[in-house]
Amino acid sequence: IDSLQSFTIITGANMAGKSTFLRAVGVNLILAMAGSKVCASSFIFKPLKLYSSMRTADSLSENESYFYAELKRLEVLIQKLKKGDQLFVILDEILKGTNSKDKAEGSKKFVDQLVKFQLAGIIATHDLSLCSLAQNHPQKISNNYFDVEIINDELVFDYKLKEGVCSNMNAAYLMKKIIQKLFPYIKPFKNHVVWNIVYNILYALFGTLSFVTLIPMMKVLFDQTERVTVEPVYTGIGNLFKYLEQ
């Protein structure tokens, strides 16, 4: 952390270590600036103010949604930069409180504006389109990633930061594992009120995911079930469980 012209975009699968790495960098920067020991074999840094947006929360008392609270946090960041503050910025999956299209477009425009200021920072994201910004700002933005492999039907993480863009994602694999574990238990209750409760919980958790991604998963998981014809429309994972009721 020795330059105000350095911004790193980190991609990687779920549980690969992105957020943990961001927290480790932030904590070590604070320790270093306090003159304390750091958890690293070496640590080169420039004294900077630390600004993060990692654990934004909504608020009923303040009448703020998650997305609005996040926008306010990012607005404060821009205000500080406009005042001339020299910052090290840590951002974890920004704009995740909105739909995927707005998130992708908004994140690119936001980072594009950020690098016009004198700052250094790290942003972790699942949005691979954000990595294209390194082509527009090769002197300021770099891409790094944490990798994951599936070996013997198990996820294997090496927790090593590598140069480039992540090509292996594991969301579909994790959902497959969850459904495999849950379905034998909930199938006997498909006509019971418990089924409706489970359905609503699963829809709340996974309702924003594309059914197009889940069609192949359904065929793999439930090969013994009767085939159903579905339209590949953008809808929630909850519909998968509706079809499993048949």
Side-chain angles (χ1 to χ4, degrees):
I1 311 173
D2 58 354
S3 170
L4 286 174
Q5 297 292 323
S6 172
F7 202 83
T8 303
I9 298 174
I10 298 180
T11 52
N14 296 287
M15 305 186 300
K18 301 185 302 299
S19 297
T20 300
F21 179 74
L22 265 58
R23 293 188 178 99
V25 171
V27 169
N28 275 293
L29 181 58
I30 293 173
L31 290 173
M33 290 191 293
S36 179
K37 294 181 178 179
V38 298
C39 300
S41 57
S42 64
F43 195 86
I44 301 172
F45 74 100
K46 177 183 176 69
L48 297 168
K49 293 180 180 179
L50 178 64
Y51 191 92
S52 68
S53 178
M54 295 190 67
R55 301 191 69 179
T56 308
D58 57 2
S59 173
L60 289 175
S61 61
E62 298 294 332
N63 294 319
E64 290 183 358
S65 68
Y66 177 91
F67 183 61
Y68 184 68
E70 188 176 25
L71 288 180
K72 286 179 61 178
R73 184 72 179 160
L74 297 178
E75 181 184 16
V76 173
L77 169 59
I78 295 298
Q79 290 173 352
K80 288 181 177 291
L81 291 170
K82 286 183 176 180
K83 287 194 306 180
D85 289 359
Q86 294 187 343
L87 303 177
F88 184 81
V89 179
I90 297 178
L91 305 174
D92 192 4
E93 200 68 42
I94 62 171
L95 304 183
K96 57 187 174 185
T98 187
N99 64 78
S100 57
K101 184 176 184 294
D102 286 344
K103 176 182 180 298
E105 293 179 357
S107 296
K108 290 182 72 172
K109 291 179 180 178
F110 183 75
V111 175
D112 206 34
Q113 291 298 314
L114 273 187
V115 296
K116 294 179 181 179
F117 295 97
Q118 295 290 308
L119 87 161
I122 309 175
I123 178 172
T125 181
H126 288 282
D127 182 11
L128 301 184
S129 66
L130 201 60
C131 300
S132 63
L133 290 174
Q135 299 175 4
N136 302 333
H137 307 281
Q139 303 301 319
K140 294 184 178 181
I141 297 179
S142 60
N143 289 315
N144 292 83
Y145 71 100
F146 287 100
D147 205 3
V148 60
E149 293 183 280
I150 300 178
I151 301 177
N152 296 327
D153 202 33
E154 294 293 336
L155 293 174
V156 178
F157 303 96
D158 59 14
Y159 302 112
K160 293 180 179 180
L161 189 64
K162 303 171 183 177
E163 293 184 0
V165 180
C166 180
S167 59
N168 297 324
M169 294 298 181
N170 63 356
Y173 177 85
L174 290 172
M175 288 188 292
K176 171 184 172 181
K177 285 292 187 180
I178 292 173
I179 296 172
Q180 281 178 327
K181 291 179 180 179
L182 286 179
F183 193 67
Y185 296 101
I186 61 179
K187 187 176 181 179
F189 300 99
K190 67 178 184 178
N191 296 319
H192 194 274
V193 66
V194 174
W195 173 256
N196 294 322
I197 295 173
V198 172
Y199 165 80
N200 285 310
I201 291 174
L202 290 169
Y203 186 83
L205 289 173
F206 305 118
T208 59
L209 295 171
S210 171
F211 192 50
V212 175
T213 306
L214 296 169
I215 292 174
M217 185 193 307
M218 183 175 66
K219 291 180 179 179
V220 172
L221 290 177
F222 307 106
D223 192 58
Q224 302 304 315
T225 61
E226 182 180 350
R227 298 294 182 181
V228 293
T229 302
V230 296
E231 293 294 328
V233 295
Y234 191 86
T235 183
I237 191 175
N239 289 283
L240 173 60
F241 292 90
K242 281 186 177 180
Y243 286 113
L244 294 176
E245 290 178 340
Q246 299 177 358

